[in-house]
């Protein structure tokens, strides 16, 4: 990191960046709207800014003293915006350039975790001419096909038979030029939110249909979020430590979320890291914070304050 934050953070003019051009635009707009409302309730001089309207020049013209990044997906969560804010010398929430870019790339995140002996399911990069039978032979069935650079489970499919694998690849390729297949972990899904050095309570996600997809995340009311998550104190401590290690491995700072599966033998498997998690009424970080005794407004202010606390990765 540069020396952005050598002086105390000024909240004189806070800008919440949301919207953008990614496939997660609608979710980002909801997150940003909720964040703006929370800051207004606390008397912060805040305004929202959609970079689709005026680009980087429009943001610079607002002369923000701090930026709350609520821009999900590519262009906001992948280091692009973070690099621009670094050049402009504007403090911003969340991770820096390196962690943002790395965390957005599921495959390279997994390579870092593998190098550090952190458990993550085996995966293979797919191409239009992939040996589909060979992929199945290596990863087994069912398996997961997902775009490497997409969030909110967009373009993700569970493949139960070899005949469906190529179609799943082409579906994911609509969202990203890079597509991966991943070994399917049968078991419970957990998500762990991190805020500064604090690990918030883990959430166990239960979906009636069995797949936590875009609809289950944002549209339906049938998804169940178990808080407490049902793990023993010892197992939740193991999970918390693992997620801290996973977040630190990519250089994550400020706040974020790590998604994990637990197989039938009780082993945890890291899936991905989110450096700009959702902040909608269905989102997981606010739920976890509430269980820890922190309401939404307090959470938003805590996150905003992290903009003044970055250190070199």
């Amino acid at each position: 990191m540069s020396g952005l934050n050598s002086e105390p953070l000024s909240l004189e003019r806070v800008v919440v960046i949301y919207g953008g051009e990614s496939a997660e635009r609608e979710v980002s707009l909801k997150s940003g709207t909720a964040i703006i409302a929370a800051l207004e309730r606390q008397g912060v001089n805040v305004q929202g800014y959609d970079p689709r309207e005026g680009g980087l020049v429009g943001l610079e013209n607002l002369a923000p003293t701090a930026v709350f990044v609520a821009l999900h997906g590519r262009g906001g969560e992948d280091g692009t915006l973070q690099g621009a804010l670094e050049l402009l010398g504007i403090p911003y929430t969340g991770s820096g350039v390196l962690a943002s870019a790395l965390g957005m790339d599921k495959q390279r995140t997994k390579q870092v975790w593998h190098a550090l002996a952190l458990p993550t399911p085996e995966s293979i990069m797919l191409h239009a001419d992939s040996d589909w039978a060979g992929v199945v032979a290596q990863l087994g069935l069912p398996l997961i096909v997902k775009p490497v650079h997409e969030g909110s489970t967009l373009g993700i499919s569970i493949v139960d038979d070899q005949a469906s694998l190529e179609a799943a690849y082409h579906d994911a390729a609509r969202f990203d030029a890079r597509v991966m297949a991943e070994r399917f972990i049968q078991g419970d899904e957990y998500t762990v939110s991190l805020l500064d050095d604090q690990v918030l309570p883990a959430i166990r996600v239960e979906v009636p249909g069995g797949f936590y997809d875009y609809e289950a995340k944002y549209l339906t009311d049938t998804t169940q979020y178990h808080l407490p998550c049902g793990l023993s104190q010892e197992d939740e401590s193991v999970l918390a430590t693992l997620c801290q290690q996973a977040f630190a491995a990519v250089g994550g700072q400020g706040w974020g979320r790590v998604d994990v599966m637990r197989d039938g033998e009780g082993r945890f498997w890291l899936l991905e890291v989110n450096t700009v998690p959702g902040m909608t009424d269905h989102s997981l970080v606010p739920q976890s914070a509430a269980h820890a005794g922190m309401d939404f407004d307090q959470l938003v202010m805590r996150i905003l304050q992290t903009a003044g606390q970055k250190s070199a990765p």
Side-chain angles (χ1 to χ4, degrees):
M1 290 293 298
S2 67
L4 269 180
N5 310 121
S6 57
E7 297 181 1
L9 181 68
S10 169
L11 302 184
E12 183 181 349
R13 289 183 305 280
V14 175
V15 172
V16 176
I17 300 184
Y18 62 160
E21 299 282 2
S22 82
E24 296 183 78
R25 173 177 172 81
E26 294 306 316
V27 179
S28 176
L29 289 171
K30 290 182 179 179
S31 290
T33 299
I35 291 165
I36 291 167
L39 292 175
E40 287 177 339
R41 285 192 294 268
Q42 295 171 96
V44 175
N45 180 21
V46 60
Q47 69 181 97
Y49 179 70
D50 185 346
R52 190 168 81 169
E53 305 304 322
L56 194 58
V57 173
L59 173 64
E60 191 173 10
N61 289 340
L62 295 176
T65 57
V67 163
F68 196 121
V69 179
L71 202 61
H72 305 316
R74 279 173 281 191
E77 198 169 351
D78 59 1
T80 305
L81 175 62
Q82 288 75 13
L85 293 171
E86 290 274 345
L87 290 173
L88 293 173
I90 302 170
Y92 58 92
T93 57
S95 293
V97 177
L98 172 64
S100 300
L102 186 55
M104 194 68 192
D105 190 313
K106 297 181 181 69
Q107 182 65 14
R108 289 188 170 90
T109 292
K110 291 167 75 70
Q111 289 170 349
V112 170
W113 287 341
H114 276 302
L116 296 173
L118 297 176
T120 186
E122 182 183 4
S123 62
I124 300 173
M125 293 301 297
L126 300 180
H127 309 280
D129 58 353
S130 287
D131 174 5
W132 308 115
V135 172
V136 170
Q138 182 169 339
L139 298 183
L141 289 171
L143 56 79
I144 301 285
V145 173
K146 58 178 72 172
V148 170
H149 297 104
E150 203 57 80
S152 294
T153 61
L154 291 165
I156 292 184
S157 303
I158 296 179
V159 174
D160 295 309
D161 55 76
Q162 183 181 317
S164 305
L165 180 54
E166 185 173 3
Y169 161 77
H170 287 292
D171 183 56
R174 295 185 299 115
F175 294 90
D176 192 0
R178 298 182 67 223
V179 176
M180 61 188 280
E182 181 180 73
R183 184 183 299 277
F184 181 78
I185 303 298
Q186 182 69 50
D188 292 331
E189 181 167 356
Y190 296 86
T191 187
V192 176
S193 302
L194 302 108
L195 179 59
D196 285 332
D197 295 327
Q198 181 179 2
V199 181
L200 299 175
I203 298 174
R204 179 168 64 87
V205 181
E206 183 180 358
V207 183
F211 184 32
Y212 192 42
D213 58 8
Y214 185 92
E215 181 176 355
K217 281 187 175 183
Y218 301 113
L219 303 178
T220 184
D221 290 322
T222 59
T223 302
Q224 298 180 47
Y225 303 101
H226 296 279
L227 265 169
C229 67
L231 291 173
S232 68
Q233 185 175 351
E234 179 181 1
D235 285 342
E236 185 157 5
S237 177
V238 168
L239 176 59
T241 299
L242 175 62
C243 291
Q244 281 182 308
Q245 293 172 334
F247 195 60
V250 301
Q253 297 185 71
W255 73 303
R257 203 187 76 230
V258 179
D259 297 334
V260 182
M261 294 296 297
R262 191 187 196 211
D263 66 22
E265 298 179 8
R267 296 174 297 187
F268 293 113
W269 297 89
L270 297 164
L271 297 182
E272 63 180 273
V273 61
N274 299 271
T275 55
V276 184
M279 291 286 280
T280 73
D281 55 358
H282 277 61
S283 295
L284 300 171
V285 177
Q287 293 185 48
S288 184
H291 191 72
M294 192 184 319
D295 67 26
F296 189 80
D297 290 7
Q298 292 172 323
L299 171 64
V300 168
M301 282 301 294
R302 281 280 304 273
I303 295 170
L304 179 58
Q305 292 295 338
T306 68
Q309 300 169 5
K310 285 191 176 62
S311 59

